[in-house]
Each structure stands twice: as C-alpha cells, then as structure tokens.
Amino acid sequence: MKYLDVRGLVVAHGQVGPGTHILGIRAPEIRKGAKPGQFCMIDLKPPGAIDPLLRRPLSIHRVGPKGLLIFMYKVVGRGTALLSQLSPGGSLRILGPLGNGFRIDQSRPGLLIGGGIGTAPLVFLSEAWPKDVEQVAIIGGRTRADIEYAARCLEDTPSRVHLATDDGSLGHKGPVTDLMSRAMEMFEGRSPVVYSCGPGPMLKAVARMAADFNLECQVSLEARMACGMGLCLGCAVPGSRGDDSADSGYLHVCREGPVFRADQVSWEDYPCP
Ligand SMILES: Cc1cc2nc3c(=O)[nH]c(=O)nc-3n(C[C@H](O)[C@H](O)[C@H](O)COP(=O)(O)OP(=O)(O)OC[C@H]3O[C@@H](n4cnc5c(N)ncnc54)[C@H](O)[C@@H]3O)c2cc1C
C-alpha cells in the first residue's frame, strides 16, 4: 500500500444540500495514485493543536486537474461540523489514497447502486469507467435534496441513471432494490457486476438480491476507524465463515477494504443501525 501524508490546500468548499458539503483539496501527490473507492483520512486539527485527535475518513468523490481531490460529506457530528467551517485558502493534512478501491470488471456491464452520502465514491467510479463498457446507476435517498446533487454529477457521465426516494419526491417512490430488478431487464440476460455503497441496511438488501440473481457484488463498507492504515484494528466487521482474508473471523475495513465482495461479509452479524 502506497500512501502519503501531505498538507493540502482547500480550493473550494460549499454546501450542495441539507448538511451536505463539497470540499476541493489540492494534493497532487495523493491525486496521482487515487482510484475509485479509495479514501483519505482528513486531519481537522489546526496546526499545532491536538484536538480533535483522530482524523476522519472520507471517500474520494471526484478528481480534477492540477492535483484536485473532491470530497462530498454530510455533517453528522463534531468533526464534520468543524470541517464545514473551513474556508477556501485554508489548508489541512490529508493521508491517502487509502484502501483497495473497486475492481472494475471490463468484461461485464456495471450496475452502480448508491444510497444517500454513499453515492460519493460512485461518482468517481462512474467518471473513471471504461468507455466501451455499459454502466447503469441507481441512486436513492430519503428525499429529493439528498440525491439531487449526485444525480446532476452522474448526468455528465455515460451512465443511464435511475433515481429512487423514500418519499417519492424524486424518481421512483421506494427503495433502490425495487429498481434493481427492473434494471436487470435492461441488461437483457447479460450479468452485470454490482458496485455498491450506502447505509448498512441498503447494502445488506443489495447483497441479498445480487445473490438471488447470482451476480458478483462489490460493497464499500463504513466502520469507525482511528488510523486508516491497519494499525489500530478498530474498523473490524464480521467476515463470512471460510473467507481466508477474514483475520480471526473479522475483516478490517481500512486494510482489506473498504471494498469487499459481498460474500466475504457475514451479513447476519453486520452492524446495521
Ligand atoms: C472508508 C470510509 C469512507 C467514508 N466516506 C465518507 C464520505 O465520502 N462522506 C461522508 O459524509 N462520510 C463518509 N464516511 C463516514 C465519515 O467518516 C463519518 O461520518 C465521520 O467520520 C463522522 O465524524 P464526526 O466527528 O462528524 O462524527 P462523530 O461525532 O464521530 O459521530 C457522529 C455520528 O456519526 C457516526 N459515525 C462516525 N463515524 C462513522 C463512520 N466511520 N461510519 C459510520 N458512521 C460513523 C457515529 O456513530 C455517530 O452516530 C466514511 C467512512 C469510512 C469508514
């Protein structure tokens, strides 16, 4: 694993939805090796301070010219609230690129399924997608405002995009899995590979449905983590029995993930709030 710890310049920062922000950081050294599905650990401490001690993991949402890395994040607690106050022109330390990222299978179409803020890494995946391979994206959220921005980002990619909201304010009314069975008809008998990121209960449902359709499914998992490099072992999630990569029955999201084959995860024991 090759990662760097650098000071990045904040070049853009703005709100794109309720509690949702876009952060652009110039960090050419990290940008150079970044792959879809990888993440960075963002240090929120002002120079010289020790609080907040732990960095926060954020997926790479997009990349741009001149070493630009873009993150999309939701304010959920103290760290992300502090981050949202940072102005362009400021700087912060950033460690990355971390984790394995998605493995694009060029021989089969892709079905990208994202929920809420979990659409963040799927935009990078869709933008980096091989031109001659078909891709369909399904993104869902609680309401229109949760997915509107990500939907606009995906409009600029070759992906055919389908939307779902719990309240029906945008696209289909219901969960993303309703659209998954319809999307299968679009592939006309060919088997896509599913690439998914989102809340635990959604991933669990997507994994179950992919297994029913006999599809390969990659899921990007989230877990609380302190280091992002496999040292603290704080980000353990239960691995399925018989999976060799599950050290003592557990997978470490930062070191072996965050992207796993869905059948590597023990979904019965997976913590879903
Ligand atoms: C590999 C990875 C990639 C991620 N990518 C993104 C992203 O692109 N955009 C984004 O908005 N968030 C992402 N997250 C989640 C993000 O790291 C947390 O929301 C953030 O660390 C919360 O910090 P906080 O100090 O604001 O909240 P805290 O005060 O620490 O916690 C507030 C609430 O958020 C929950 N929480 C905290 N950390 C996590 C976590 N790691 N996973 C799930 N729930 C958590 C807590 O249980 C609590 O309910 C990612 C997490 C991982 C592990």
Side-chain angles (χ1 to χ4, degrees), residues 203-228:
L203 291 181
K204 206 169 179 170
V206 167
R208 192 182 313 121
M209 207 148 167
D212 290 346
F213 281 108
N214 206 14
L215 303 178
E216 183 192 322
C217 178
Q218 298 177 25
V219 288
S220 179
L221 301 183
E222 275 192 15
R224 302 205 71 161
M225 57 178 69
C227 72

Side-chain angles (χ1 to χ4, degrees), residues 64-92:
K66 297 187 188 156
L68 183 65
L69 292 169
I70 303 175
F71 301 91
M72 174 165 84
Y73 68 92
K74 207 165 180 69
V75 174
V76 295
R78 182 159 172 261
T80 43
L82 271 172
L83 183 61
S84 70
Q85 287 158 20
L86 198 70
S87 303
S91 69
L92 35 71

